[in-house]
Amino acid sequence: DRNPIVTVGNDWGMLDLNHHIRTNEPDTAVLSLSCDGPNIVQPFAHCRNLTPIVRELVARLPEGEPIWSEKFSKEMLGRQLQELGPRIFFCQWKNRPADPDATDFKFEWIQNKRVVLEKGEGKWEGRMVLRFEGDSEVVPMESVNLYLTWDPARGGKTARARNALVLSFMDHKGRAGILREYAKKEDPLKSIDVAFDMVKLWRKWLKGVGVESVLFQDTLAGILRDRIKDRNIFMQVKPIKIPKNLEGKDNRLRQWLGTYAEAGKLYYSPGCTDFVDEYCHFGVPDWTRDVLDALAMGTRMWRRAGKPGEESAEERREREMERTDYGVCGYGNTLAGASGATVMAPRGY
């Protein structure tokens, strides 16, 4: 205690000096900071053995948000990831080294697959469009279907996993991906308010909300029904049922997401650094997969949008649904079954 040895530095690889200390010196105190907060979730990179006052200071740092957001926003960090590549970025910026040879998903599959939401120009002036890397033709949001999927975690702040909300999309060419992400260790009830805020912000193009079916039926259905009445916001919820033969999270991620990624159909917004983090570490034991899992549930809902100026099949179904009477109380049936869509909306929305 009188002559402590203090080691300060960034990670340089999976088997560097920092890794050796974490692995072979279990009594060593480790303060591991990432560009987006303290490392308190991931294995071998997490903080440990800290004094109470340091733990209190670490707890005040925003989890999952840039710790110097005025200079390094999520979008800027996404550009750094693209320029440096995953190996250097996750070492030098995240202090969570990634070994490309130890992962199942290859970064090359999404290396040039960025998508940016921006204001249109020329014939699309005054409208929002998506710009896909490598494609000179932008896509108006009217030709994009958006989906919000939620993977709730039981246990709140004591849970191993995080509550993850993902805003994903599919355009008229079958290109899909992630536009926005939210992942925090918190009570699922708190995440409900975030979900409603995202629905309100994106409802012009949002085609549905997906929630893991078991937790939805057990806990969230009644709560969502009450919140819809309180906030007077339309929400179409589909409980996502996980097939028994795909109950292992890794299995369904490989089948549901890996197919899109390997085919070059999976895109990501530069600000979605949690997605890239989990993607580049997929296959590392005990690494979190919360954002990936929420995105994978979106594949159960994705449908091609109509071409610019054309009406898609999904839009035709929605037009027919507008004629539906939601009953005297003004609310539809909130439980249509694990495999069916659940429609919840106030009359006259």
Side-chain angles (χ1 to χ4, degrees):
D1 294 339
R2 297 168 63 181
N3 295 289
I5 298 176
V6 179
T7 303
V8 180
N10 293 71
D11 281 294
W12 287 94
M14 296 286 288
L15 300 176
D16 63 358
L17 176 60
N18 289 324
H19 180 272
H20 176 84
I21 293 173
R22 294 188 187 107
T23 305
N24 298 289
E25 302 291 341
D27 296 330
T28 302
V30 176
L31 174 59
S32 180
L33 295 180
S34 166
C35 58
D36 54 6
N39 287 321
I40 58 177
V41 176
Q42 307 295 3
F44 72 76
H46 63 277
C47 302
R48 72 182 189 207
N49 299 336
L50 302 177
T51 62
I53 189 171
V54 175
R55 284 201 303 270
E56 182 180 349
L57 292 173
V58 168
R60 294 181 182 180
L61 292 173
E63 180 190 348
E65 300 293 335
I67 58 178
W68 193 1
S69 57
E70 296 84 359
K71 184 173 179 62
F72 300 106
S73 65
K74 276 202 167 188
E75 288 71 21
M76 183 274 177
L77 294 176
R79 291 193 293 270
Q80 285 293 315
L81 167 64
Q82 192 70 16
E83 293 174 8
L84 299 174
R87 188 183 67 82
I88 295 177
F89 180 80
F90 287 117
C91 286
Q92 297 291 287
W93 288 75
K94 290 263 194 177
N95 272 330
R96 297 200 291 266
D99 181 2
D101 295 329
T103 59
D104 293 356
F105 292 163
K106 304 305 178 186
F107 185 70
E108 290 76 18
W109 297 347
I110 63 168
Q111 187 168 8
N112 300 307
K113 299 296 180 181
R114 288 185 297 180
V115 60
V116 178
L117 178 68
E118 61 185 25
K119 293 181 180 179
E121 299 177 348
K123 68 176 181 179
W124 304 120
E125 186 173 359
R127 301 163 70 177
M128 299 303 294
V129 299
L130 286 184
R131 182 177 298 279
F132 292 83
E133 188 172 9
D135 190 344
S136 60
E137 181 183 355
V138 299
V139 179
M141 288 302 294
E142 288 75 14
S143 295
V144 178
N145 291 335
L146 295 186
Y147 304 91
L148 180 64
T149 43
W150 180 18
D151 182 24
R154 300 176 187 267
K157 289 189 176 182
T158 62
R160 172 67 179 85
R162 299 170 296 174
N163 281 283
L165 286 158
V166 162
L167 184 73
S168 63
F169 70 90
M170 178 169 276
D171 74 348
H172 65 288
K173 295 182 179 180
R175 295 176 295 193
I178 178 172
L179 279 181
R180 298 291 185 270
E181 63 183 16
Y182 176 89
K184 290 187 182 295
K185 292 179 68 175
E186 63 185 12
D187 192 297
L189 300 183
K190 187 174 181 180
S191 299
I192 287 180
D193 292 326
V194 178
F196 272 101
D197 290 340
M198 295 179 77
V199 169
K200 184 177 180 179
L201 180 63
W202 300 96
R203 62 185 176 185
K204 184 177 181 180
W205 305 292
L206 194 66
K207 302 304 179 184
V209 180
V211 183
E212 193 274 322
S213 62
V214 174
L215 189 56
F216 176 82
Q217 302 285 17
D218 291 348
T219 307
L220 298 178
I223 297 172
L224 283 172
R225 183 192 303 119
D226 293 339
R227 292 291 178 89
I228 284 168
K229 293 179 181 178
D230 293 339
R231 299 192 58 162
N232 196 36
I233 295 178
F234 175 91
M235 182 179 284
Q236 180 175 325
V237 179
K238 177 182 176 63
I240 306 295
K241 188 174 182 180
I242 307 299
K244 290 185 177 181
N245 64 324
L246 290 178
E247 286 183 348
K249 185 176 291 190
D250 287 1
N251 289 335
R252 63 176 178 267
L253 290 180
R254 290 187 184 96
Q255 293 195 29
W256 290 358
L257 273 186
T259 303
Y260 282 93
E262 191 169 7
K265 294 286 188 178
L266 189 65
Y267 289 75
Y268 69 96
S269 173
C272 295
T273 55
D274 275 337
F275 159 74
V276 181
D277 189 347
E278 294 184 6
Y279 178 95
C280 290
H281 288 89
F282 182 66
V284 177
D286 298 324
W287 207 270
T288 59
R289 287 123 166 83
D290 311 314
V291 173
L292 287 183
D293 205 31
L295 180 60
M297 287 195 294
T299 66
R300 304 301 90 191
M301 305 176 68
W302 289 347
R303 299 291 184 274
R304 285 187 183 231
K307 295 180 180 179
E310 295 183 4
E311 183 181 48
S312 68
E314 193 160 355
E315 289 171 330
R316 286 195 296 273
R317 287 195 297 270
E318 288 182 355
R319 181 163 44 80
E320 293 296 325
M321 286 175 57
E322 290 178 357
R323 305 172 185 172
T324 303
D325 187 352
Y326 287 100
V328 176
C329 67
Y331 291 86
N333 178 17
T334 61
L335 286 177
S339 61
T342 302
V343 179
M344 299 183 272
R347 178 197 291 273
Y349 173 83

